[in-house]
Amino acid sequence: MRKYQLSYFYLNCAVLCVLTLQIPAFAESVAEPDSEKGLWEEFGYGKKGLQFESADGNNFLWFGVRLQTRYSNEKLYKNDLPGNPVERQTELAFNRGRLKLGGHLVSPRFTIYSEYDFVDNRLLDYRASYSFTDWLNIRVGQWKSPYNRERIDSSGAQQFAERSVATPWFTVDRQQGVVASGRFGKGRSYDSSYWFGWLSGSGRGGSASDGKGLWLGRYQWNFTRRVLAFSQSDIALREKAAGSLSIALVDGKSKYTSFSSGGGGQLPGFEDAPEQDYDLQQAMLESAWKKGGFSWQQELHWKRVRGRSSGVEQDILGGYVQAGMFFSQLWPAVPTPLELALRYAQVDPDRSVHGDYEKELTMGANWFFNGHRNKLTADLSRVISRGTKDRDSNNRVRLQWEWSF
């Protein structure tokens, strides 16, 4: 797999070089409009990076780079009592680096997308989609499972430096699979979007042949008759509201109890098990809203994990709520690019155990130079984790620069 990932990295670099070499030819064709044009008639820099488009519009490719640098300072108080050891950690790191290649081929209905993480040297996304109608789109490959909004939202399009403490417990994350989706009732009171499909259950980089996998379904009611994109902050300062109410379900078998960009793993208290040893059942309720610089989103999760060989069963409950506001919409003296946000999250790791929890309260601020493509994010968090015997707290400060080109 590592060899394949490196080959993908070099392939992206080669594509960029080849396309870049077409610049002189493009400039020459512009200077001499009567000359014969090749396959790629349009070349330039657009919203997503370098863009190439054929004369008939049936072929379109874009190539982009995303960089994220983060400074963090954390103080972890063991047992959260005065006089107990304090762990301090300060870090300035190149947190994320991505190469992205997407577009459509042969027809605008057939779209492709791939994403490579060159910081951790791993292939994140590779997918192809075909849109038959507004109400039927088929996607195959590996990508973020269309389960919960916070995980689907790009890490570069968030209000905070990182997702809430609830996400690692409940996200289905990147998987291989096939999913049907679409929108029906457009512009009517029942305007809705849906996603339904099968996932491998083996996580990012896993094999679709590992076992029976997971079934996923998500229904989203677009009650404002407009689809709310998977992106945080109302940077468009919408005059017309966009909102949604959603429910999602997951049911199936996996040898993992948690998923992340690193692949399949185990939640605290669970161990690596034989293939397909865990039964996973999940349900989620979600709401989201944007208007006039104000944004809101919330998720409530339930998850049941049962070890088929051990017979151990554990219920997990949690979620988060967050809101952001461009206060320049209320007071003109406030700078327009500034957004302030607040988030609260809580997880009960085991409903059968009394008093254990994980809580987070985060305050954040964003300064947008060019939307989510160029912004500064600062946040301050207090995270408290309590087990049956101890209680730890973490005070965390983060400053992050997000830049895509």
Side-chain angles (χ1 to χ4, degrees):
M1 187 64 181
R2 181 179 176 86
K3 181 178 180 181
Y4 173 68
Q5 291 174 338
L6 286 172
S7 300
Y8 178 83
F9 173 75
Y10 294 133
L11 176 61
N12 272 282
C13 293
V15 169
L16 178 62
C17 291
V18 170
L19 295 178
T20 302
L21 289 174
Q22 300 303 311
I23 296 176
F26 171 75
E28 191 174 311
S29 67
V30 172
E32 300 178 14
D34 294 331
S35 61
E36 184 178 352
K37 296 180 179 179
L39 173 63
W40 302 105
E41 173 157 313
E42 298 293 337
F43 167 82
Y45 182 81
K47 293 182 179 180
K48 295 184 177 181
L50 294 178
Q51 296 183 170
F52 305 82
E53 186 172 9
S54 62
D56 57 10
N58 287 329
N59 297 281
F60 173 77
L61 288 176
W62 61 268
F63 181 89
V65 179
R66 179 185 160 212
L67 304 174
Q68 187 183 91
T69 303
R70 178 186 297 175
Y71 166 82
S72 62
N73 186 297
E74 300 187 38
K75 293 181 180 179
L76 177 62
Y77 296 85
K78 290 292 185 180
N79 297 319
D80 203 31
L81 294 174
N84 281 344
V86 178
E87 293 184 7
R88 301 174 185 267
Q89 183 176 357
T90 300
E91 183 180 32
L92 177 61
F94 189 48
N95 195 52
R96 287 183 173 93
R98 307 283 172 83
L99 298 178
K100 300 181 178 183
L101 180 65
H104 59 257
L105 297 174
V106 182
S107 166
R109 292 180 177 273
F110 180 67
T111 60
I112 59 171
Y113 179 79
S114 63
E115 186 171 335
Y116 180 80
D117 178 356
F118 60 81
V119 172
D120 293 316
N121 187 32
R122 57 193 181 191
L123 181 58
L124 298 177
D125 288 43
Y126 52 92
R127 68 185 192 230
S129 308
Y130 191 86
S131 178
F132 294 91
T133 65
D134 286 345
W135 54 268
L136 181 59
N137 177 84
I138 301 294
R139 175 173 291 179
V140 297
Q142 175 178 281
W143 73 101
K144 290 180 183 177
S145 305
Y147 183 64
N148 64 310
R149 177 172 289 270
E150 187 182 34
R151 188 64 185 98
I152 300 172
D153 292 339
S154 169
S155 57
Q158 298 182 95
Q159 289 175 311
F160 304 92
E162 200 54 81
R163 296 177 177 90
S164 73
V165 296
T167 287
W169 292 89
F170 302 104
T171 180
V172 189
D173 218 272
R174 288 181 168 91
Q175 305 268 353
Q176 290 185 16
V178 53
V179 172
S181 64
R183 180 185 181 188
F184 58 91
K186 184 177 180 180
R188 301 185 179 183
S189 59
Y190 57 90
D191 191 324
S192 303
S193 302
Y194 78 92
W195 294 259
F196 178 78
W198 176 86
L199 308 173
S200 69
S202 56
R204 186 210 60 82
S207 172
S209 61
D210 279 351
K212 295 183 179 180
L214 306 172
W215 289 99
L216 176 147
R218 174 185 167 97
Y219 168 76
Q220 177 176 299
W221 177 33
N222 309 311
F223 60 86
T224 59
R225 307 183 186 189
R226 282 176 286 276
V227 175
L228 187 59
F230 291 105
S231 177
Q232 299 176 18
S233 304
D234 185 22
I235 57 178
L237 307 177
R238 296 169 177 265
E239 294 183 2
K240 296 182 178 180
S244 64
L245 294 172
S246 307
I247 183 172
L249 303 169
V250 166
D251 185 32
K253 303 180 185 344
S254 174
K255 60 182 177 181
Y256 302 115
T257 58
S258 71
F259 304 95
S260 69
S261 293
Q266 304 299 345
L267 293 172
F270 294 93
E271 299 178 351
D272 288 336
E275 187 172 333
Q276 303 299 310
D277 191 57
Y278 292 108
D279 288 329
L280 300 181
Q281 293 178 309
Q282 297 185 219
M284 181 209 66
L285 292 174
E286 171 195 290
S287 64
W289 169 272
K290 292 182 182 180
K291 183 184 179 183
F294 175 78
S295 60
W296 155 283
Q297 63 185 65
Q298 158 277 329
E299 296 172 11
L300 177 63
H301 292 269
W302 168 83
K303 181 175 182 177
R304 174 171 292 169
V305 181
R306 185 177 71 87
R308 289 188 293 148
S309 59
S310 65
V312 176
E313 186 173 286
Q314 183 169 320
D315 283 5
I316 307 167
L317 188 67
Y320 74 92
V321 57
Q322 73 182 55
M325 181 67 194
F326 288 86
F327 284 96
S328 60
Q329 301 303 295
L330 302 177
W331 301 293
V334 178
T336 303
L338 177 64
E339 179 197 35
L340 300 179
L342 184 68
R343 177 175 71 199
Y344 176 77
Q346 182 170 340
V347 176
D348 183 348
D350 190 344
R351 296 285 290 163
S352 66
V353 176
H354 177 70
D356 62 328
Y357 60 78
E358 187 172 8
K359 296 181 179 180
E360 171 203 350
L361 179 63
T362 299
M363 297 180 290
N366 294 293
W367 188 279
F368 294 90
F369 299 102
N370 180 23
H372 285 298
R373 292 182 64 81
N374 190 351
K375 67 177 182 179
L376 283 175
T377 299
D379 63 26
L380 172 64
S381 299
R382 180 169 174 80
V383 180
I384 301 175
S385 299
R386 179 175 179 177
T388 55
K389 297 181 179 180
D390 54 22
R391 181 175 182 270
D392 302 334
S393 66
N394 181 6
N395 295 337
R396 181 178 60 205
V397 177
R398 296 176 294 197
L399 178 63
Q400 181 171 282
W401 179 32
E402 175 78 29
W403 184 34
S404 296
F405 60 93

